[in-house]
């Protein structure tokens, strides 16, 4: 309770939760005091400390060691902790939206974040490659079982969706090509359009984008959940390397799976185009295969297949890195899972565009 005598205000008795209602009424009547005598204070818990902070003010309570030096240390610490918890951050007025400097500063922050993100990616790629080189010379450290399991999850289980999607895209490309080429009397070149597009671009690009959305997100969620459950700390405590144990099998599995899926995507896309040619353009499958064998050089197939391991490596590394960056919360795991999908698709499309320019300049 609070006792007001002729000289000063005194806190008497227990300031605990059972007495909170009565104490709150007494504090409300006093409003704010410059100092309170705490010599006769009984028991004190968080609720009582909050009332004393309301009565004296956070700034006064933070200096309790000066004006109440005889108070036990644990009670001083409790009052200071409650006072610090009730500290309100200074109000920062929002910057005007029309301020060009504020917009430029925001753009600079975004660019800085992107630069830091790319530096982390480059560093993680270097760490992965160094661990891979160290593991290749020690066969007893290979994780063959984990590698086979990830090949099945990321490769074999993705065959139906990759085949279906590329088949439908091949049919659409053939329809669009026939619509345009019909005006020039050159519908026979629909075969060249479909084969060129799927051998060089669509086969590997669609497979990589599907794996970026399907597998990279799974890698991030798996590793992020392990970090949230402190399983990564347990692996390190046992002397195991998380990069060797978790990252390398996933990266190698993607580098094995994506070329296979790329080949399946190429075949499925050309099959969809061949069916459209057969039913809509009166180009028989025999004619389609003859034109494919006669007019389409092998280098276009090699160009498409050469991009598959690079795309697979980047997608897997980005998915694993975002998993390691997640914190111990479900929200963080979800945010980094989304980030891994966006980054993977962006990097795949960017590298595909750069590769297309390079091969065009080289005449390949």
């Amino acid at each position: 309770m609070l006792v007001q005598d002729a000289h000063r205000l005194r806190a008497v008795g227990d300031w605990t939760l059972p007495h909170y209602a009565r104490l709150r009424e007494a504090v409300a009547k006093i409003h704010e005091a410059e100092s309170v005598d705490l010599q006769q204070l009984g028991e004190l818990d968080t609720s009582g400390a909050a009332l004393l902070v309301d009565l004296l003010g956070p700034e006064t309570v933070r200096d309790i060691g000066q004006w109440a030096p005889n108070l036990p240390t644990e009670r001083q610490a409790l009052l200071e902790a409650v006072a610090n918890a009730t500290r309100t951050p200074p109000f920062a007025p929002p910057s005007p939206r029309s301020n060009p400097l504020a917009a430029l500063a925001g753009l600079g922050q975004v660019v800085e974040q992107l630069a830091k993100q790319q530096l982390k990616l480059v560093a993680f790629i270097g760490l992965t490659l160094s661990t891979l080189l160290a593991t290749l010379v020690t066969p007893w450290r290979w994780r063959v079982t984990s590698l086979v399991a990830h090949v099945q999850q990321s490769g074999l289980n993705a065959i139906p969706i990759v085949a279906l999607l590329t088949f439908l895209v091949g049919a659409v490309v053939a329809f669009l090509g026939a619509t345009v080429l019909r005006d020039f009397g050159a519908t026979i070149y629909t075969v060249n359009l479909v084969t060129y597009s799927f051998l060089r671009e669509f086969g590997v690009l669609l497979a990589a984008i599907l794996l970026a959305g399907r597998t990279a997100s799974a890698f991030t969620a798996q590793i992020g959940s392990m970090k949230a459950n402190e399983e990564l700390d347990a692996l390190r405590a046992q002397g195991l390397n998380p990069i060797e144990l978790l990252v390398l099998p996933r990266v190698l599995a993607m580098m094995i799976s994506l070329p296979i899926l790329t080949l399946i995507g190429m075949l499925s896309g050309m099959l969809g185009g061949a069916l459209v040619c057969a039913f809509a353009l009166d180009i028989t499958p025999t004619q389609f295969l003859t034109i494919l064998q006669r007019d389409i050089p092998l280098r276009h197939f090699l160009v498409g297949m050469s991009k598959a391991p690079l795309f697979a490596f980047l997608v897997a590394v980005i998915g694993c890195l975002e998993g390691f960056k997640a914190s111990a919360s479900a929200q963080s795991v979800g945010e980094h899972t989304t980030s891994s999908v966006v980054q993977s698709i962006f990097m795949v499309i960017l590298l595909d565009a750069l590769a297309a320019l390079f091969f065009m300049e080289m005449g390949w």
Side-chain angles (χ1 to χ4, degrees), residues 281-352:
L281 305 177
D282 294 329
I283 300 175
T284 63
T286 303
Q287 289 178 292
F288 190 97
L289 292 176
T290 301
I291 295 172
L292 175 63
Q293 182 179 7
R294 183 190 63 198
D295 298 339
I296 309 301
L298 179 63
R299 70 172 184 272
H300 300 300
F301 170 76
L302 297 178
V303 165
M305 292 298 296
S306 65
K307 294 185 284 188
L310 178 60
F311 289 172
F313 180 82
L314 281 176
V315 169
V317 166
I318 291 174
C320 295
L321 173 60
E322 291 299 313
F324 282 107
K325 289 165 60 178
S327 60
S329 66
Q331 180 181 358
S332 177
V333 173
E335 291 174 352
H336 285 282
T337 300
T338 304
S339 177
S340 70
V341 175
V342 174
Q343 289 186 58
S344 300
I345 294 177
F346 175 78
M347 292 298 295
V348 164
I349 295 176
L350 177 62
L351 287 179
D352 186 72

Side-chain angles (χ1 to χ4, degrees), residues 9-251:
L9 192 64
R10 292 183 294 114
V12 180
D14 296 337
W15 285 58
T16 55
L17 186 60
H19 310 287
Y20 181 80
R22 180 166 51 85
L23 292 171
R24 184 178 57 183
E25 293 178 358
V27 170
K29 294 177 182 178
I30 301 294
H31 297 294
E32 186 172 352
E34 296 182 357
S35 63
V36 176
D37 186 0
L38 303 179
Q39 296 297 325
Q40 301 180 15
L41 182 64
E43 295 294 330
L44 179 67
D45 62 6
T46 308
S47 60
L51 290 175
L52 288 175
V53 171
D54 291 340
L55 180 64
L56 295 169
E59 297 298 333
T60 303
V61 174
R62 290 190 195 101
D63 298 331
I64 192 171
Q66 300 178 5
W67 56 269
N70 296 327
L71 192 67
T73 306
E74 61 273 10
R75 294 191 178 180
Q76 292 184 18
L78 175 60
L79 289 168
E80 290 176 357
V82 174
N84 291 328
T86 57
R87 178 185 299 174
T88 57
F91 174 73
S95 57
R97 296 183 180 179
S98 60
N99 189 353
L101 294 179
L104 186 61
L107 179 61
Q109 291 177 355
V110 173
V111 173
E112 183 182 5
Q113 291 177 359
L114 289 176
K116 291 180 179 179
Q117 188 175 9
Q118 296 308 313
L119 287 176
K120 289 181 180 179
L121 177 60
V122 172
F124 191 75
I125 289 174
L127 179 61
T128 302
L129 290 177
S130 63
T131 307
L132 176 61
L133 293 177
T135 307
L136 288 178
V137 297
T138 54
W140 57 89
R141 294 166 59 184
W142 295 355
R143 307 286 176 175
V144 180
T145 303
S146 178
L147 174 64
V148 174
H150 286 298
V151 168
Q152 179 182 2
Q153 294 174 6
S154 61
L156 297 180
N157 294 344
I159 288 177
I161 184 63
V162 171
L164 177 61
L165 180 64
T166 51
F167 176 85
L168 295 176
V169 173
V172 171
V173 171
F175 270 122
L176 293 177
T179 302
V180 175
L181 295 174
R182 185 179 289 113
D183 298 334
F184 302 94
T187 54
I188 191 66
Y189 289 104
T190 303
V191 179
N192 300 68
L193 174 64
V194 172
T195 53
Y196 272 116
S197 59
F198 273 89
L199 289 177
R200 293 184 68 96
E201 299 294 338
F202 285 160
V204 61
L205 189 61
L206 292 175
I209 290 176
L210 280 174
L211 286 189
R214 179 184 182 275
T215 307
S217 59
F219 289 171
T220 303
Q222 291 166 2
I223 297 178
S225 299
M226 294 180 67
K227 186 175 182 180
N229 295 331
E230 299 181 355
E231 296 178 36
L232 298 182
D233 296 333
L235 291 177
R236 294 188 180 97
Q238 295 175 3
L240 299 175
N241 186 356
I243 303 297
E244 178 183 337
L245 190 67
L246 301 176
V247 177
L248 291 186
R250 288 172 167 82
V251 171

Side-chain angles (χ1 to χ4, degrees), residues 251-273:
V251 171
L252 294 176
M254 283 284 287
M255 295 181 69
I256 294 172
S257 301
L258 187 56
I260 298 174
L261 294 175
T262 298
L263 177 61
I264 294 173
M266 292 175 178
L267 296 176
S268 300
M270 290 188 292
L271 178 60

